[in-house]
């Protein structure tokens, strides 16, 4: 293995808080999975969720199922996205990682055989729990194949080594045969087999550190007058060909992560989007689009332009999520020149960004929970988590890839909005079964039982730190990873074992000292390990003879059994 790859893996190990003596082959599997999947999925994700290497793994070391732009782990999450978007757009990504330098044709074929077995209706080989769970998800996806929009799922196979890929003729012939054989299943829209050597994995690692960036030509524009808090701003129309450079790329399609500050996800085939799509399918509708549509607003924290050539970095689409998706879905019939109303604003002022997103999204009904990411509470929470020193410090990520370019930050200390919602629900609301499901189900509680402006911030930090501490114990082998499906029940149980049963209101001053009791315990390495080991025994008692699976932990009945066992 070359020096550069070794250095990259060391940096990855430190970021992910793996111990210095962690198994090198397993570490390379995690590294390869992270680099490959980050290219297709722009959000933070738990590397253990996509790692499938080990016994009975069908020669698959990494597996990601991306549904409508979201990394999905279970059927419930896919159902939620189907209910929201009214369709399914799916990508399966498989990784085989070999820390050696050899590109073996036999191993490539074995990798292909494993992928084909994964999609087989009747599997003859024993498989791990992780592979079994993803197969259930895959089967559900194909059972709902009538909801595929525009295409069947795509399938990507990435064969990663530390060697140098030289387009060897014999291996290229093998790859062509592999592609032909997988395509013959008729299950997929596109099939890719990607050999990745040291140079390719190094480039992927470097790209994972970059903020989102796009170059586009914005010729038909006018410069807006000076605005307090805004460095520069422009208003005009952008041709579809240039607009697509902003919202999508050739590798991963539409860039889902640039819509994080947009308060609503794509709503799929609702009446407004259907009407917009139908209009775009007529010459009259395309001609009138620029005057009938409110357009798209891009906010960039970095903006450079030379004449008409713009480079936007660290940007978000804060208004126009629905328009962007409808245009992307119809891109093949729109031509290159149809104009899209387009506004570009350059600012680093968070108050201005929030005000723009809130104001522009008031054109249609937006619920309170949709706006929670833009509130003053969220900014206060970010500052509060970051106010602690040393090992007690956490980083709250209010926007996508907020910390991607910063070095020296452990990934496990980054708390996303999803993690905060789930952890708080488990720790302080005893809602571990709902936290274990897709977090959208909990968003209805935002502004009601959580994320209220009159709540103290201390319990939110305590919940986040509990999540971080448990994740640290998993990664360092101090708590068996077999307990990961019950992670939210472990968090719930830990708090109930450490803190008094009578919890003050989240608005009361007493909740500060109550939360401090929890954090004091978590900050103590020996106490926190002992506490989570006790929590594991409680989960074992609640399970009885039932195996610990992702499905088993998602019922209210299981949560009630865990609560009862923790009081025994």
């Amino acid at each position: 293995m070359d020096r550069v790859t070794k250095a990259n893996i060391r940096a990855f190990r430190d970021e992910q808080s793996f111990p210095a003596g962690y198994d090198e082959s397993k570490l390379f599997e995690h590294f390869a999975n992270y680099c490959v999947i980050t290219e297709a999925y722009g959000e933070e994700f738990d590397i253990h969720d996509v790692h499938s290497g080990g016994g009975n793994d069908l020669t698959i070391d990494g597996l990601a199922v991306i549904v409508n732009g979201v990394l999905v782990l279970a059927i419930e999450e896919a159902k939620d996205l189907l209910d929201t978007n009214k369709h399914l757009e799916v990508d399966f990504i498989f990784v085989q990682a070999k820390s050696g330098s050899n590109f073996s044709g036999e191993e490539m074929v074995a990798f292909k055989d494993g992928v084909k077995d994964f999609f087989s209706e009747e599997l003859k080989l024993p498989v791990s729990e992780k592979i079994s769970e993803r197969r259930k998800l895959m089967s559900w996806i194909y059972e709902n194949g009538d909801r595929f929009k525009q295409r069947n799922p795509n399938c990507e196979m990435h064969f990663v080594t530390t060697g140098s890929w030289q387009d060897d003729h014999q291996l290229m012939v093998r790859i062509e045969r592999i592609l032909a054989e997988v395509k013959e299943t008729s299950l997929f829209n596109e099939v890719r087999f990607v050999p990745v050597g040291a140079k390719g994995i190094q480039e992927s690692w470097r790209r994972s550190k970059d903020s989102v960036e796009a170059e586009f030509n914005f010729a038909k524009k006018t410069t807006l007058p000076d605005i307090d808090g805004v460095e520069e701003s422009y208003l005009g129309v952008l041709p579809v060909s240039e607009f697509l450079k902003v919202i999508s790329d050739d590798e991963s399609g539409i860039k889902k992560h640039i819509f994080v500050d947009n308060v609503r996800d794509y709503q799929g085939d609702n009446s407004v989007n259907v009407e917009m799509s139908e209009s775009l399918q007529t010459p009259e509708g395309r001609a009138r689009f620029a005057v009938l549509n409110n357009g798209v607003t891009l906010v960039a924290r970095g903006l450079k332009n030379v004449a008409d050539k713009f480079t936007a970095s660290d940007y978000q689409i804060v208004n126009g999520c629905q328009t962007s998706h409808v245009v992307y879905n119809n891109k093949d019939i729109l031509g290159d020149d149809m104009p899209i109303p387009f506004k570009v604003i350059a600012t680093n002022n968070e108050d201005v960004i929030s005000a723009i997103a809130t104001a522009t999204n008031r054109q249609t009904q937006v619920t309170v929970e949709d706006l929670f990411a833009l509130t003053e509470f969220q900014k206060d929470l970010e500052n509060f988590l970051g106010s602690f020193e040393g090992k007690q410090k956490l980083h709250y990520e209010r926007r996508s890839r907020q910390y991607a370019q910063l070095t020296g930050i452990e990934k496990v200390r980054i708390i996303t909005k999803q993690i905060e919602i789930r952890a708080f629900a488990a720790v302080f609301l005893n809602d571990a079964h709902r936290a274990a499901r897709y977090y959208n189900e909990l968003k209805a509680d935002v502004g009601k039982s959580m994320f209220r402006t009159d709540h103290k911030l201390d319990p939110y930090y305590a919940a986040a730190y509990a999540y971080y501490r448990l994740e640290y114990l998993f990664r360092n082998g101090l708590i068996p990873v077999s307990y990961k499906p019950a992670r939210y029940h472990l968090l719930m149980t830990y708090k109930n074992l450490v803190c008094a049963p009578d919890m003050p209101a989240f608005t009361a001053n007493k909740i500060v000292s109550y939360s401090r009791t929890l954090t004091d315990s978590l900050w103590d390495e020996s106490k926190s390990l002992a506490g989570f080991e006790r929590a594991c025994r409680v989960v074992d008692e609640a399970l009885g003879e039932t195996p610990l699976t992702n499905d088993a932990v998602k019922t209210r009945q299981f949560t009630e059994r865990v609560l009862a066992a923790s009081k025994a």
Side-chain angles (χ1 to χ4, degrees):
M1 189 182 301
D2 65 275
R3 286 183 179 181
V4 175
T5 303
K6 285 182 179 179
N8 291 345
I9 292 174
R10 283 197 302 270
F12 170 78
R13 182 197 65 198
D14 294 342
E15 278 190 2
Q16 298 290 342
S17 298
F18 285 110
Y22 194 81
D23 181 83
E24 290 187 4
S25 61
K26 279 284 180 64
L27 184 62
F28 185 72
E29 289 175 7
H30 285 298
F31 177 68
N33 291 341
Y34 177 81
C35 290
V36 167
I37 294 168
T38 298
E39 294 275 26
Y41 184 68
E43 298 298 305
E44 294 289 344
F45 59 90
D46 187 332
I47 55 173
H48 289 283
D49 287 339
V50 298
H51 182 254
S52 55
N56 299 326
D57 59 11
L58 297 179
T59 74
I60 299 168
D61 295 323
L63 169 55
V65 183
I66 299 177
V67 179
N68 298 357
V70 177
L71 181 62
V72 168
L73 305 177
I75 291 173
E76 291 82 2
E77 300 174 11
K79 284 181 178 177
D80 189 88
L81 290 165
L82 178 58
D83 290 342
T84 299
N85 302 146
K86 312 305 180 189
H87 71 270
L88 295 171
E89 190 170 294
V90 184
D91 297 289
F92 292 98
I93 301 174
F94 299 91
V95 182
Q96 174 62 260
K98 299 291 183 183
S99 56
S101 60
N102 185 37
F103 284 93
S104 164
E106 289 76 17
E107 290 178 340
M108 289 180 176
V109 171
F111 181 31
K112 174 266 300 179
D113 289 341
V115 171
K116 283 190 66 180
D117 286 342
F118 176 83
F119 289 99
S120 64
E121 293 189 54
E122 295 184 6
L123 189 60
K124 297 179 180 179
L125 298 173
V127 294
S128 65
E129 179 65 27
K130 178 72 70 67
I131 295 292
S132 177
E133 290 289 332
R134 297 301 181 271
R135 272 179 49 83
K136 291 176 185 176
L137 172 60
M138 175 273 297
S139 295
W140 181 89
I141 287 169
Y142 280 99
E143 286 167 6
N144 288 272
D146 61 317
R147 309 300 288 277
F148 292 160
K149 184 163 186 175
Q150 296 185 330
R151 64 172 176 83
N152 283 357
N154 289 331
C155 177
E156 296 183 16
M157 295 169 281
H158 297 258
F159 188 89
V160 184
T161 82
T162 60
S164 176
W165 176 252
Q166 301 289 343
D167 291 335
D168 178 89
H169 175 69
Q170 290 186 342
L171 292 178
M172 293 293 289
V173 170
R174 287 275 188 113
I175 290 173
E176 288 300 319
R177 291 174 181 169
I178 287 171
L179 290 173
E181 189 173 334
V182 177
K183 287 176 182 177
E184 283 177 0
T185 64
S186 300
L187 293 173
F188 309 109
N189 171 53
E190 290 183 0
V191 180
R192 296 176 64 214
F193 190 101
V194 185
V196 183
K199 182 179 179 182
I201 205 73
Q202 291 167 15
E203 290 173 349
S204 292
W205 171 251
R206 283 192 286 270
R207 282 193 292 269
S208 75
K209 300 296 161 195
D210 295 336
S211 63
V212 61
E213 184 174 282
E215 291 186 358
F216 55 93
N217 289 309
F218 194 11
K220 297 180 179 179
K221 64 184 183 302
T222 184
T223 303
L224 296 175
D226 291 342
I227 303 170
D228 186 37
V230 173
E231 296 171 17
E232 51 187 317
S233 54
Y234 305 86
L235 177 65
V237 292
L238 202 62
V240 164
S241 58
E242 297 300 316
F243 180 66
L244 291 173
K245 296 177 183 178
V246 174
I247 66 167
S248 64
D249 59 43
D250 294 336
E251 292 296 319
S252 58
I254 198 160
K255 301 174 181 177
K256 289 284 185 179
H257 54 285
I258 67 172
F259 301 100
V260 172
D261 281 352
N262 192 290
V263 295
R264 287 168 297 131
D265 193 6
Y266 177 51
Q267 300 299 298
D269 293 335
N270 64 19
S271 59
V272 175
N273 290 341
V274 168
E275 183 179 344
M276 191 191 314
S277 182
E278 290 175 347
S279 175
L280 287 175
Q281 293 171 29
T282 68
E284 295 82 6
R286 293 193 289 273
R288 297 171 182 169
F289 187 78
V291 295
L292 295 179
N293 188 275
N294 289 323
V296 176
T297 301
L298 179 151
V299 173
R301 291 169 175 85
L303 186 68
K304 299 177 182 178
N305 68 292
V306 178
D308 297 332
K309 185 177 182 179
F310 280 62
T311 301
S313 59
D314 198 4
Y315 68 89
Q316 291 282 307
I317 300 296
V318 300
N319 183 55
C321 177
Q322 310 307 310
T323 296
S324 298
H325 280 77
V326 172
V327 168
Y328 179 81
N329 290 338
N330 288 278
K331 64 184 185 298
D332 294 334
I333 64 170
L334 299 182
D336 291 338
D337 298 327
M338 190 190 84
I340 309 292
F342 197 61
K343 186 187 297 181
V344 175
I345 300 168
T347 180
N348 281 290
N349 189 312
E350 295 293 335
D351 292 332
V352 171
I353 294 170
S354 295
I356 293 168
T358 302
T360 54
N361 281 283
R362 285 299 186 190
Q363 297 165 12
T364 53
Q365 183 179 3
V366 180
T367 62
V368 172
E369 62 267 21
D370 286 329
L371 289 166
F372 84 98
L374 308 173
T375 63
E376 192 69 30
F377 182 90
Q378 294 293 304
K379 289 180 280 185
D380 291 342
L381 185 56
E382 178 184 7
N383 293 331
F384 188 75
L385 265 62
S387 67
F388 292 82
E389 299 292 334
K391 292 184 178 181
Q392 299 171 5
K393 189 183 186 73
L394 298 173
H395 306 277
Y396 186 56
E397 186 176 74
R398 292 193 300 117
R399 56 187 174 84
S400 178
R401 300 180 64 78
Q402 186 171 345
Y403 300 103
Q405 292 180 295
L406 299 181
T407 59
I409 290 181
E410 297 172 82
K411 290 287 187 181
V412 289
R413 291 185 183 271
I414 296 175
I415 304 298
T416 65
K417 294 190 289 289
Q418 292 186 25
I419 289 174
E420 183 65 75
I421 288 176
R422 284 173 148 166
F424 186 85
V427 174
F428 286 101
L429 303 180
N430 285 339
D431 244 346
H433 57 286
R434 294 177 68 209
R437 298 171 69 90
Y438 187 46
Y439 93 109
N440 254 16
E441 186 175 322
L442 292 167
K443 286 177 68 176
D445 294 339
V446 171
K448 299 172 185 175
S449 58
M450 68 173 81
F451 289 94
R452 275 176 39 181
T453 56
D454 56 348
H455 281 187
K456 302 294 184 183
L457 296 171
D458 302 79
Y460 292 89
Y461 170 80
Y465 197 88
Y467 182 94
Y468 155 73
R469 183 61 186 155
L470 179 58
E471 185 62 29
Y472 176 88
L473 295 174
F474 279 137
R475 295 199 180 197
N476 285 270
L478 299 172
I479 296 293
V481 294
S482 58
Y483 282 97
K484 269 214 161 187
R487 71 183 80 177
Y488 296 105
H489 289 82
L490 294 176
L491 295 175
M492 177 185 73
T493 301
Y494 187 98
K495 190 271 291 184
N496 290 333
L497 292 173
V498 170
C499 298
D502 296 327
M503 185 175 67
F506 300 127
T507 57
N509 290 329
K510 289 183 178 180
I511 194 67
V512 175
S513 58
Y514 186 90
S515 301
R516 186 58 186 263
T517 299
L518 179 57
T519 54
D520 281 346
S521 173
L522 290 163
W523 289 341
D524 186 305
E525 293 186 3
S526 60
K527 285 184 179 179
S528 60
L529 175 57
F532 278 116
E533 287 175 338
R534 286 179 63 198
C536 288
R537 292 193 290 272
V538 169
V539 167
D540 288 339
E541 183 179 342
L543 282 167
E545 298 300 319
T546 305
L548 178 54
T549 65
N550 286 316
D551 289 337
V553 303
K554 293 176 180 177
T555 64
R556 178 177 295 278
Q557 291 79 7
F558 180 66
T559 295
E560 291 172 351
R561 291 201 302 272
V562 172
L563 289 171
S566 66
K567 296 174 184 177

